[in-house]
Structure formats: C-alpha cells, structure tokens
Amino acid sequence: MTQTFYQVWRFNPLKDQWFYYNHIPNATTINAVKNVLIRHKNGEFKGNQFKNWMLNDRFKIVRVEQTLTDCEEV
C-alpha cells in the first residue's frame, strides 16, 4: 500500500541545500499545500514564523510516495 502526500521545502543559500520546511503541514493534494504556503507568506497561517527576510527565498512543493507495510504489534 502506498501513501502519497505533498511537502514544502525551502532552499537555504548559505548551505546550498534544500530542507523540509516543517511550518507547513503535509497535505494530500498539491493545491491544499500550495494554499497553505500562500496563506503562510501572507501572515494568515503561523505568520509569526514567516520572517520578512524570507520573502525572496525559494520554496518548492515535493511529492512524497511512502510505502506502508504490514506491522505487527509487539
């Protein structure tokens, strides 16, 4: 069984790498996560965690496919 969801990643130019931006929750559709990111940039969603110096930062939405396996309770 595979589970698909979308995440927001932010580029850190000082380290020259992308990292998972955990201020935006994962979503099951690309539009849902895109809407939350737009609201976040406008200060409507966790606005205190989005700083003015981040306005020109690069963000990307990543599709994640995770395989779920059967688990056994121990």
Side-chain angles (χ1 to χ4, degrees):
M1 181 177 183
T2 302
Q3 177 184 17
T4 302
F5 55 92
Y6 296 87
Q7 297 178 330
V8 174
W9 287 60
R10 182 174 160 250
F11 185 72
N12 182 336
L14 298 175
K15 295 182 178 180
D16 194 34
Q17 67 184 18
W18 290 92
F19 67 93
Y20 172 62
Y21 189 65
N22 63 358
H23 296 301
I24 306 293
N26 296 341
T28 55
T29 67
I30 194 166
N31 286 333
V33 77
K34 196 183 296 186
N35 290 338
V36 174
L37 177 59
I38 290 168
R39 288 178 46 227
H40 184 57
K41 285 183 169 184
N42 292 334
E44 299 169 20
F45 179 82
K46 294 187 179 181
N48 61 329
Q49 295 173 351
F50 190 85
K51 309 301 179 197
N52 285 338
W53 54 266
M54 294 168 62
L55 287 174
N56 295 323
D57 282 6
R58 294 167 42 202
F59 292 88
K60 68 179 177 180
I61 297 173
V62 176
R63 178 179 159 180
V64 178
E65 291 189 9
Q66 186 176 48
T67 302
L68 305 175
T69 58
D70 291 336
C71 297
E72 182 177 314
E73 190 172 324
V74 291

